[in-house]
Amino acid sequence: MCGIVGYIGARDATPIIYNGLKRLEYRGYDSAGIAVLQNGQIEVRREAGKLSGLADLLQKSPISGSLGIGHTRWATHGAPSARNAHPHTGRSGRVVVVQNGIVENFLELREELSSEGVEFKSDTDTETIVHLVEHYLATGIGLEDAARKTFQHIQGANVVVLMSADEPDKIVAARIGNAGGVAIGYGEGEMFAASDVPAILEHTRRVTFLESRQMAVITSGGARIESLDGAPVSAEIHTVAYDPIAAEKGEYRHFMQKEIHEQVRALTDTLAGRVDFERGKIRIPELNLTPELAQRIKKIYITACGTAAYAGMVGKYLIEKIARVPVEVEIGSEFRYRDPIIDGDTVVMAISQSGETADTLAAMEEGRRKGAILWSIVNAIGSQAMRIADGYISMQTGPEIGVASTKAFTAPLIDQYMLAILLADMRGTLDDSTRRALVSDLRLIPDLAGRTLAREADVEKAAHALKDIRGCLYLGRGINMPIAYEGALKLKEISYIHAEGYPAGEMKHGPIALIDEEMPVLCLAPKDPWHEKMISQIQQAKARGGTVIALATDGDEIIRSMADHVLWIPETPWMLSPVVTVLPLQLLAYHIAAIRGLDVDQPRNLAKSVTVE
Ligand code: AGP
């Protein structure tokens, strides 16, 4: 997710765009840039790092003009750097583009354009867009038509805003798929385009929004909106309430709630560009995995902390089940103290949203010291855990602001599922039909997640019933045992209620003594290979007077008859079930904390990235 701002009017665009980007910095902050039309030329200033770096650059080398576009980046393709920062110009320097999203067919486009003599100046997918616009302009058509042909040619989910020095009376904006929105702001003799309304609310509250596969030609006097095939669209102009901070959260009370609901999009994004559903194949080029290496790997250590470690515990099930490679999950803060057995055929794979967690980085260093192959699954592009790895998988979820990790937990579950299939495919241990079936199941995920999150009101009701509990046991088995740990951690870290995740099968070896009327038990009992076992677990808890909250699959009448509360999920392939079973637990923890009036996004004593050991 990136932040985009465009301006056309009578005022200086630079400060308007810069301040707008500041309000969007939560959407991405690894590099930024602004382009304006100054004395008939397009002037661009770009800088790696946070927006403050761009401010310093603009101080040293100012630009001004009444037409401009700007961008703050959350890198997906191409590490954060000035050369990969947006805006991007083409060969002529007369056209400039910014994008939010991923051009899925950028590799083919780069080949096509390179064969026409284009020399790419960056590693980004976005640069293909500006060269494509110039390709169509060269046929003698105008900017609007060249842009429309370009939008029809690129594939993926994209928001694109562009302008040209040769047609300085307009900005062109388009939305293709769900790569975030495009808000068009109506001022007096001036107009705005932005990926989110906070960027422009100080200038206007009259806003219209592009729908998917729509484009807008924006002049200082207004906007003409049409579908990509040229049909005119009459878009309603809304008047937006003015509360910049609230607006950054959209219609949500907290970033955590917003990010819980963003998971449908984040899961779609983490799949983007990696799944060939036709051939039932996975590709993760940035992992640098070859068949030779895949066949050589003898063991994988997954190392991480907190929520990320629980994601790794699910990954262990997936990689061992699908790829038959031994996996051990190691807490980052312990790994380097136990003199682990590592050789050149061992992989040490870190999972880290921030990519900067000190304990996890130290574990990676231990792996490096002992000659391991280093991989990482990270969200922050350009972070240390990405830079020092031999290969990586980016979660591609967009920035996660809430301290309690949600989308950066579910995305790596999918990433490890894809990794397991890729590994097995390269090791030749997966027959074609099984592989195709596993790949095909990925198609179900965004819809299953969306349908589960749509049941938030039911979870909120359960939260009201449980808001005063003083403790809770979370029990799970098999692939959903780590979800018991993760669900308990969510409750602990934002509601400050003690909760303990436990392997359900272990309860009879002692902890069952804890269960009474005062100790509620949350049992994860979806239709998976351990379902029967969880039913007897619920019976054991009920027999001791425990209140049971069960997580169950739609239509499970046995569970309905036994449990005091049921959190329902749709039927889900069991190997992908953790992605879905965790969602009601995220919502349950969120609503209990919100009902208790706690600081959900910045809980006491915690930090988003623990960069100390
Ligand atoms: C999870 O909600 C916590 N914020 C915490 O456990 C976090 O997952 C852990 O500190 C690891 O952070 P990382 O993913 O950035 O490495």
Side-chain angles (χ1 to χ4, degrees):
M1 291 208 298
C2 307
I4 291 174
V5 181
Y7 174 79
I8 182 167
R11 291 190 284 161
D12 183 2
T14 302
I16 292 170
I17 293 170
Y18 179 82
N19 292 327
L21 292 176
K22 273 305 278 173
R23 290 208 177 288
L24 299 180
E25 198 167 17
Y26 69 90
R27 295 175 62 91
Y29 38 78
D30 57 45
S31 52
I34 291 180
V36 298
L37 184 66
Q38 179 175 279
N39 305 325
Q41 302 296 322
I42 286 180
E43 291 291 340
V44 182
R45 300 290 183 272
R46 303 182 299 176
E47 190 56 273
K50 294 206 170 222
L51 264 173
S52 51
L54 178 61
D56 297 343
L57 180 59
L58 288 166
Q59 196 75 39
K60 283 192 224 106
S61 171
I63 50 176
S64 71
S66 60
L67 172 71
I69 57 178
H71 185 274
T72 180
R73 187 170 182 236
W74 183 268
T76 53
H77 292 71
S81 61
R83 69 187 285 269
N84 285 332
H86 305 200
H88 288 281
T89 53
R91 282 192 279 188
S92 72
R94 307 291 292 166
V95 183
V96 67
V97 166
V98 293
Q99 189 215 186
N100 179 12
I102 295 171
V103 179
E104 289 265 321
N105 55 336
F106 84 97
L107 288 174
E108 295 89 79
L109 290 173
R110 279 181 84 107
E111 279 163 29
E112 261 175 56
L113 292 159
S114 301
S115 67
E116 292 173 11
V118 169
E119 286 180 17
F120 283 86
K121 301 173 278 188
S122 78
D123 310 321
T124 67
D125 56 320
T126 301
E127 195 188 341
T128 58
I129 298 174
V130 66
H131 291 301
L132 214 42
V133 172
E134 291 191 340
H135 164 86
Y136 287 118
L137 284 170
T139 64
I141 59 178
L143 181 66
E144 186 178 330
D145 292 333
R148 181 182 300 106
K149 284 181 174 297
T150 298
F151 300 144
Q152 290 165 346
H153 195 152
I154 61 176
Q155 292 165 17
N158 321 82
V159 167
V160 181
V161 179
L162 57 90
M163 67 187 213
S164 165
D166 298 327
E167 296 188 42
D169 62 337
K170 63 178 70 86
I171 287 176
V172 179
R175 175 179 177 172
I176 306 162
N178 292 318
V182 185
I184 295 171
Y186 289 74
E188 297 305 319
E190 59 184 13
M191 290 288 287
F192 307 83
S195 39
D196 232 341
V197 290
I200 54 177
L201 280 178
E202 65 181 291
H203 306 295
T204 178
R205 290 166 50 192
R206 298 177 61 241
V207 181
T208 190
F209 299 92
L210 289 190
E211 300 298 328
S212 177
R213 303 203 68 74
Q214 289 183 351
M215 65 182 271
V217 179
I218 305 167
T219 63
S220 57
R224 177 164 41 81
I225 297 172
E226 55 192 41
S227 66
L228 288 196
D229 52 26
V233 169
S234 63
E236 184 191 347
I237 297 179
H238 307 269
T239 300
V240 178
Y242 182 86
D243 173 352
I245 298 301
E248 285 174 14
K249 298 182 193 111
E251 72 263 31
Y252 299 105
R253 281 179 61 199
H254 300 99
F255 278 112
M256 181 183 177
Q257 188 186 27
K258 180 178 182 202
E259 287 152 9
I260 288 172
H261 286 278
E262 272 177 352
Q263 288 178 103
V264 179
R265 170 150 166 57
L267 291 165
T268 307
D269 278 357
T270 209
L271 290 169
R274 293 171 172 159
V275 188
D276 178 340
F277 285 109
E278 285 310 304
R279 296 168 51 234
K281 287 277 191 180
I282 297 294
R283 60 179 176 216
I284 312 174
E286 69 266 29
L287 189 61
N288 299 321
L289 180 61
T290 62
E292 179 277 327
L293 173 57
Q295 287 153 33
R296 188 157 58 82
I297 292 171
K298 296 284 179 304
K299 176 163 196 169
I300 298 174
Y301 284 109
I302 298 176
T303 185
C305 301
T307 285
Y310 302 147
M313 291 168 77
V314 175
K316 169 184 169 69
Y317 272 93
L318 296 170
I319 296 169
E320 290 193 339
K321 176 75 183 169
I322 297 171
R324 310 309 292 159
V325 175
V327 178
E328 272 189 58
V329 180
E330 295 280 348
I331 300 294
S333 53
E334 293 296 322
F335 185 54
R336 69 188 185 286
Y337 297 122
R338 65 174 202 77
D339 194 11
I341 300 163
I342 288 173
D343 62 20
D345 297 335
T346 307
V347 169
V348 171
M349 179 168 84
I351 300 176
S352 177
Q353 191 285 131
S354 63
E356 301 296 349
T357 299
D359 289 327
T360 304
L361 293 176
M364 292 181 80
E365 292 304 337
E366 175 70 359
R368 174 69 81 211
R369 199 173 63 77
K370 292 198 165 195
I373 301 142
L374 284 194
W375 289 346
S376 61
I377 301 179
V378 291
N379 199 31
I381 302 276
S383 58
Q384 183 78 346
M386 172 177 281
R387 283 198 307 275
I388 66 175
D390 300 309
Y392 67 88
I393 303 175
S394 59
M395 297 179 193
Q396 294 177 169
T397 73
E400 186 176 68
I401 312 293
V403 165
S405 200
T406 50
K407 58 184 184 174
F409 173 75
T410 47
L413 302 186
I414 295 294
D415 297 334
Q416 293 173 104
Y417 181 90
M418 293 192 285
L419 169 60
I421 295 169
L422 181 62
L423 256 179
D425 195 14
M426 288 190 171
R427 290 166 67 92
T429 57
L430 204 55
D431 63 72
D432 189 61
S433 62
T434 306
R435 192 196 71 251
R436 285 175 177 277
L438 289 171
V439 170
S440 171
D441 282 348
L442 283 167
R443 220 192 281 269
L444 305 171
I445 284 302
D447 175 58
L448 289 171
R451 285 163 55 197
T452 304
L453 292 171
R455 303 173 184 186
E456 179 170 19
D458 299 339
V459 182
E460 192 173 358
K461 258 196 228 112
H464 276 287
L466 299 165
K467 66 182 173 48
D468 298 321
I469 59 175
R470 288 180 300 105
C472 190
L473 277 168
Y474 285 66
L475 307 181
R477 277 189 98 126
I479 200 167
N480 279 294
M481 182 194 68
I483 304 305
Y485 293 165
E486 171 57 11
L489 175 60
K490 287 281 112 23
L491 188 68
K492 276 183 278 203
E493 66 177 326
I494 61 174
S495 71
Y496 315 148
I497 296 170
H498 180 64
E500 192 171 5
Y502 224 83
E506 271 295 284
M507 287 301 290
K508 51 191 178 291
H509 302 290
I512 200 163
L514 286 171
I515 298 181
D516 60 17
E517 295 71 24
E518 298 299 310
M519 177 58 81
V521 187
L522 190 144
C523 292
L524 289 147
K527 288 278 176 67
D528 65 12
W530 299 274
H531 178 250
E532 295 311 313
K533 293 274 187 267
M534 287 308 295
I535 286 178
S536 62
Q537 188 62 54
I538 293 172
Q539 284 164 335
Q540 289 169 35
K542 290 300 291 175
R544 287 154 183 82
T547 301
V548 172
I549 309 102
L551 183 137
T553 303
D554 288 347
D556 192 333
E557 292 309 318
I558 297 175
I559 300 281
R560 184 200 297 274
S561 65
M562 298 165 65
D564 300 282
H565 304 275
V566 183
L567 307 176
W568 295 104
I569 63 166
E571 190 93 32
T572 304
W574 74 267
M575 276 193 258
L576 289 166
S577 62
V579 178
V580 176
T581 55
V582 76
L583 301 177
L585 307 193
Q586 293 172 345
L587 288 170
L588 183 66
Y590 168 75
H591 281 291
I592 289 176
I595 292 164
R596 289 162 72 105
L598 297 170
D599 185 349
V600 171
D601 284 332
Q602 294 175 345
R604 68 187 183 197
N605 313 337
L606 294 179
K608 184 59 187 165
S609 173
V610 182
T611 53
V612 293
E613 292 190 15

mmCIF file of all heavy atoms in Angstrom, residues 305-308 351-355 357 403-405 489-490 493 610, ligand 1:
data_model
loop_
_atom_site.group_PDB
_atom_site.id
_atom_site.type_symbol
_atom_site.label_atom_id
_atom_site.label_comp_id
_atom_site.label_asym_id
_atom_site.label_seq_id
_atom_site.Cartn_x
_atom_site.Cartn_y
_atom_site.Cartn_z
ATOM 1 N N CYS A 305 9.848 -14.449 16.745
ATOM 2 C CA CYS A 305 9.428 -14.093 18.109
ATOM 3 C C CYS A 305 7.927 -13.849 18.125
ATOM 4 O O CYS A 305 7.347 -13.464 17.116
ATOM 5 C CB CYS A 305 10.140 -12.839 18.569
ATOM 6 S SG CYS A 305 11.933 -13.016 18.555
ATOM 7 N N GLY A 306 7.320 -14.085 19.268
ATOM 8 C CA GLY A 306 5.918 -13.743 19.475
ATOM 9 C C GLY A 306 5.004 -14.332 18.413
ATOM 10 O O GLY A 306 5.121 -15.501 18.035
ATOM 11 N N THR A 307 4.150 -13.472 17.913
ATOM 12 C CA THR A 307 3.175 -13.902 16.906
ATOM 13 C C THR A 307 3.846 -14.549 15.710
ATOM 14 O O THR A 307 3.389 -15.545 15.161
ATOM 15 C CB THR A 307 2.349 -12.683 16.470
ATOM 16 O OG1 THR A 307 1.423 -12.379 17.514
ATOM 17 C CG2 THR A 307 1.598 -12.931 15.188
ATOM 18 N N ALA A 308 4.983 -13.979 15.308
ATOM 19 C CA ALA A 308 5.689 -14.525 14.135
ATOM 20 C C ALA A 308 6.123 -15.962 14.398
ATOM 21 O O ALA A 308 6.112 -16.808 13.490
ATOM 22 C CB ALA A 308 6.885 -13.632 13.809
ATOM 23 N N ILE A 351 10.981 -15.250 10.355
ATOM 24 C CA ILE A 351 9.696 -14.620 10.024
ATOM 25 C C ILE A 351 9.619 -13.349 10.858
ATOM 26 O O ILE A 351 9.787 -13.395 12.081
ATOM 27 C CB ILE A 351 8.502 -15.530 10.357
ATOM 28 C CG1 ILE A 351 8.586 -16.847 9.569
ATOM 29 C CG2 ILE A 351 7.175 -14.821 10.036
ATOM 30 C CD1 ILE A 351 7.486 -17.842 9.913
ATOM 31 N N SER A 352 9.398 -12.228 10.197
ATOM 32 C CA SER A 352 9.389 -10.962 10.946
ATOM 33 C C SER A 352 8.660 -9.869 10.180
ATOM 34 O O SER A 352 9.043 -9.539 9.059
ATOM 35 C CB SER A 352 10.826 -10.488 11.211
ATOM 36 O OG SER A 352 10.812 -9.249 11.873
ATOM 37 N N GLN A 353 7.629 -9.317 10.758
ATOM 38 C CA GLN A 353 6.891 -8.218 10.143
ATOM 39 C C GLN A 353 7.800 -7.018 9.937
ATOM 40 O O GLN A 353 7.916 -6.532 8.838
ATOM 41 C CB GLN A 353 5.711 -7.821 11.038
ATOM 42 C CG GLN A 353 4.692 -6.890 10.446
ATOM 43 C CD GLN A 353 5.152 -5.430 10.345
ATOM 44 O OE1 GLN A 353 5.009 -4.841 9.272
ATOM 45 N NE2 GLN A 353 5.741 -4.858 11.388
ATOM 46 N N SER A 354 8.489 -6.633 10.989
ATOM 47 C CA SER A 354 9.340 -5.433 10.924
ATOM 48 C C SER A 354 10.663 -5.711 10.223
ATOM 49 O O SER A 354 11.316 -4.830 9.691
ATOM 50 C CB SER A 354 9.623 -4.928 12.340
ATOM 51 O OG SER A 354 10.356 -5.948 13.044
ATOM 52 N N GLY A 355 11.098 -6.987 10.325
ATOM 53 C CA GLY A 355 12.415 -7.313 9.782
ATOM 54 C C GLY A 355 13.545 -6.718 10.600
ATOM 55 O O GLY A 355 14.698 -6.718 10.179
ATOM 56 N N THR A 357 13.520 -7.100 14.340
ATOM 57 C CA THR A 357 13.492 -7.643 15.710
ATOM 58 C C THR A 357 14.855 -8.178 16.102
ATOM 59 O O THR A 357 15.373 -9.101 15.449
ATOM 60 C CB THR A 357 12.422 -8.734 15.808
ATOM 61 O OG1 THR A 357 11.152 -8.138 15.509
ATOM 62 C CG2 THR A 357 12.372 -9.363 17.190
ATOM 63 N N VAL A 403 0.058 -2.347 17.132
ATOM 64 C CA VAL A 403 1.149 -3.128 17.716
ATOM 65 C C VAL A 403 0.810 -4.611 17.682
ATOM 66 O O VAL A 403 1.650 -5.468 17.439
ATOM 67 C CB VAL A 403 1.426 -2.653 19.154
ATOM 68 C CG1 VAL A 403 2.286 -3.655 19.905
ATOM 69 C CG2 VAL A 403 2.094 -1.288 19.138
ATOM 70 N N ALA A 404 -0.434 -4.942 17.896
ATOM 71 C CA ALA A 404 -0.834 -6.353 17.861
ATOM 72 C C ALA A 404 -0.903 -6.809 16.410
ATOM 73 O O ALA A 404 -1.656 -6.279 15.613
ATOM 74 C CB ALA A 404 -2.191 -6.533 18.528
ATOM 75 N N SER A 405 -0.086 -7.783 16.091
ATOM 76 C CA SER A 405 0.057 -8.206 14.702
ATOM 77 C C SER A 405 -1.134 -9.052 14.257
ATOM 78 O O SER A 405 -1.534 -9.980 14.952
ATOM 79 C CB SER A 405 1.340 -9.033 14.593
ATOM 80 O OG SER A 405 1.767 -9.085 13.275
ATOM 81 N N LEU A 489 -2.229 -14.917 22.980
ATOM 82 C CA LEU A 489 -1.335 -13.749 22.966
ATOM 83 C C LEU A 489 -2.110 -12.489 22.601
ATOM 84 O O LEU A 489 -1.947 -11.432 23.219
ATOM 85 C CB LEU A 489 -0.189 -13.959 21.971
ATOM 86 C CG LEU A 489 0.748 -12.763 21.784
ATOM 87 C CD1 LEU A 489 1.415 -12.379 23.101
ATOM 88 C CD2 LEU A 489 1.799 -13.061 20.730
ATOM 89 N N LYS A 490 -2.980 -12.573 21.620
ATOM 90 C CA LYS A 490 -3.792 -11.397 21.244
ATOM 91 C C LYS A 490 -4.551 -10.870 22.453
ATOM 92 O O LYS A 490 -4.587 -9.681 22.727
ATOM 93 C CB LYS A 490 -4.751 -11.778 20.110
ATOM 94 C CG LYS A 490 -4.071 -11.964 18.778
ATOM 95 C CD LYS A 490 -3.760 -10.673 18.081
ATOM 96 C CE LYS A 490 -2.369 -10.213 17.877
ATOM 97 N NZ LYS A 490 -1.201 -10.960 17.843
ATOM 98 N N GLU A 493 -2.084 -9.276 25.128
ATOM 99 C CA GLU A 493 -1.313 -8.059 24.831
ATOM 100 C C GLU A 493 -2.195 -6.827 24.627
ATOM 101 O O GLU A 493 -1.695 -5.709 24.740
ATOM 102 C CB GLU A 493 -0.393 -8.258 23.635
ATOM 103 C CG GLU A 493 -1.068 -8.476 22.305
ATOM 104 C CD GLU A 493 -0.050 -8.583 21.178
ATOM 105 O OE1 GLU A 493 0.998 -7.918 21.219
ATOM 106 O OE2 GLU A 493 -0.310 -9.348 20.243
ATOM 107 N N VAL A 610 10.509 -4.747 18.325
ATOM 108 C CA VAL A 610 11.383 -4.834 19.506
ATOM 109 C C VAL A 610 12.824 -4.951 19.033
ATOM 110 O O VAL A 610 13.324 -6.029 18.720
ATOM 111 C CB VAL A 610 10.975 -6.065 20.356
ATOM 112 C CG1 VAL A 610 11.849 -6.124 21.609
ATOM 113 C CG2 VAL A 610 9.499 -6.006 20.707
HETATM 114 C C1 AGP B 1 2.386 -9.660 18.173
HETATM 115 O O1 AGP B 1 1.075 -9.143 18.200
HETATM 116 C C2 AGP B 1 3.394 -8.755 18.836
HETATM 117 N N1 AGP B 1 3.332 -7.447 18.281
HETATM 118 C C3 AGP B 1 4.779 -9.380 18.857
HETATM 119 O O2 AGP B 1 4.668 -10.696 19.368
HETATM 120 C C4 AGP B 1 5.476 -9.467 17.483
HETATM 121 O O3 AGP B 1 4.844 -10.450 16.698
HETATM 122 C C5 AGP B 1 6.934 -9.879 17.722
HETATM 123 O O4 AGP B 1 7.551 -8.858 18.487
HETATM 124 C C6 AGP B 1 7.714 -10.093 16.432
HETATM 125 O O5 AGP B 1 7.756 -8.907 15.683
HETATM 126 P P1 AGP B 1 8.272 -8.988 14.157
HETATM 127 O O6 AGP B 1 7.281 -9.830 13.419
HETATM 128 O O7 AGP B 1 8.314 -7.569 13.685
HETATM 129 O O8 AGP B 1 9.633 -9.637 14.183
#
